[in-house]
Amino acid sequence: MDYFKSKKVLVTGASSGIGVAFARYLSIWGAELIITSRRKDRLEQLAAELREEHDAEVTVIAADLSDPDGARLLSDQLDKKGISVDILINNAGFGYNGRFEDAPLETYEQMMQVNMNSLVTLTRTLLPGMLERNHGGVLNVASMAGFLPIPYFGVYSATKQFVINLSWSLWHELKHTGVRVSVLCPGPVNTEFMDVAGVDKAKSAFRGLQQADEVALRGLKGLAADQGMTLSRPLLRIPLLLSKWIPIKIGLMIGELAMKK
């Protein structure tokens, strides 16, 4: 994966799950990492491991992207450290599984901030530098949940549809530049995300959960190959096609069966 060698790569949500897997692959391939999340202790532990195992260059910046000012403060820290980001991986995100009215409003505000607003802020802030240097990349992590409205998972589903649509739009706008844009759409993955969202992993809809390293690898390969969208496994083409052709009411019924507690 020479595409990533010696590139300065910023990975958000790097303290667990797919974010950790991104960081591990990138350190093996010789990227210069900038890892960020709210949990600085986990970031420091990961950075120490990557330095020891792969002699990786890793910068740790703690940032809370659920805070309206979090993305701007992160960008300020990058400027202070003199870091020009070559590749941005917008991986941070979380969801909520349950009746819409049962979650505090603050949960939805933070979810929209992390999943959409901070993603837009970081992309808009870092993209001009990539265009000026005539090289760069943006990898946005969305979800298969973004292709249909999903009862009991509605806000998360809507935020991921936003990410998919934005990513495709940017891919088209930037296809004649040196900047690549790709969106990764995983199905269910065996990470802390499921626990934080309150998803019951024992339900039949979540059998055969993918592992984070497999998902991260497909996403990185997709960006390196300049693919506008990458699914985390080939079999996901089937639900993707179904989402385009089945009546919306049937799709809602399927989503309810999968997500209703």
Side-chain angles (χ1 to χ4, degrees):
M1 299 292 284
D2 289 340
Y3 174 71
F4 298 101
K5 186 175 178 60
S6 300
K7 298 291 197 326
K8 294 181 175 64
V9 185
L10 171 61
V11 182
T12 71
S15 62
S16 66
I18 300 172
V20 171
F22 279 135
R24 292 194 184 282
Y25 280 118
L26 290 163
S27 66
I28 292 170
W29 297 333
E32 298 178 22
L33 283 167
I34 309 99
I35 54 176
T36 185
S37 78
R38 290 182 299 177
R39 297 176 289 193
K40 188 174 183 179
D41 56 337
R42 287 199 182 187
L43 294 175
E44 295 286 8
Q45 181 180 352
L46 175 61
E49 292 174 4
L50 298 180
R51 291 171 186 138
E52 182 178 351
E53 295 172 8
H54 307 296
D55 195 27
E57 185 172 334
V58 188
T59 301
V60 170
I61 303 177
D64 183 0
L65 297 182
S66 69
D67 186 312
D69 293 323
R72 294 183 186 277
L73 292 173
L74 173 57
S75 298
D76 289 344
Q77 287 295 309
L78 292 169
D79 288 340
K80 288 179 182 178
K81 294 177 181 293
I83 298 173
S84 299
V85 173
D86 298 308
I87 297 172
L88 167 63
I89 300 182
N90 284 308
N91 168 71
F94 73 97
Y96 170 79
N97 175 208
R99 294 188 64 87
F100 176 78
E101 69 273 17
D102 287 347
L105 178 59
E106 183 183 40
T107 297
Y108 295 131
E109 291 173 337
Q110 292 179 346
M111 189 187 308
M112 291 186 289
Q113 182 64 47
V114 176
N115 296 7
M116 298 187 298
N117 297 354
S118 289
L119 179 149
V120 170
T121 299
L122 286 175
T123 304
R124 174 60 183 83
T125 302
L126 299 176
L127 181 60
M130 297 179 192
L131 290 170
E132 184 177 344
R133 296 187 295 273
N134 198 36
H135 71 81
V138 178
L139 175 58
N140 293 326
V141 179
S143 170
M144 292 298 295
F147 293 110
L148 277 175
I150 302 179
Y152 309 100
F153 214 38
V155 176
Y156 177 78
S157 173
T159 65
K160 292 307 181 178
Q161 183 181 60
F162 175 94
V163 174
I164 292 168
N165 286 353
L166 174 65
S167 300
W168 272 121
S169 298
L170 292 178
W171 176 85
H172 186 81
E173 287 183 36
L174 301 173
K175 64 183 180 179
H176 297 304
T177 72
V179 180
R180 303 176 185 183
V181 178
S182 184
V183 60
L184 170 62
C185 297
V189 186
N190 189 20
T191 67
E192 289 182 7
F193 172 91
M194 305 281 279
D195 301 320
V196 173
V199 175
D200 183 0
K201 295 180 184 179
K203 295 189 73 171
S204 59
F206 303 107
R207 291 175 184 167
L209 291 172
Q210 274 190 285
Q211 299 304 311
D213 57 348
E214 178 185 358
V215 175
L217 180 60
R218 290 190 68 88
L220 293 170
K221 285 184 174 181
L223 178 63
D226 200 16
Q227 294 177 356
M229 182 174 73
T230 301
L231 306 182
S232 64
R233 58 176 26 158
L235 282 176
L236 292 178
R237 292 193 185 99
I238 297 172
L240 175 58
L241 289 172
L242 289 175
S243 73
K244 297 178 181 298
W245 296 106
I246 62 174
I248 189 68
K249 290 184 178 180
I250 294 178
L252 289 168
M253 290 172 60
I254 294 171
E256 179 179 30
L257 288 172
M259 302 307 299
K260 187 175 182 180
K261 294 185 175 181

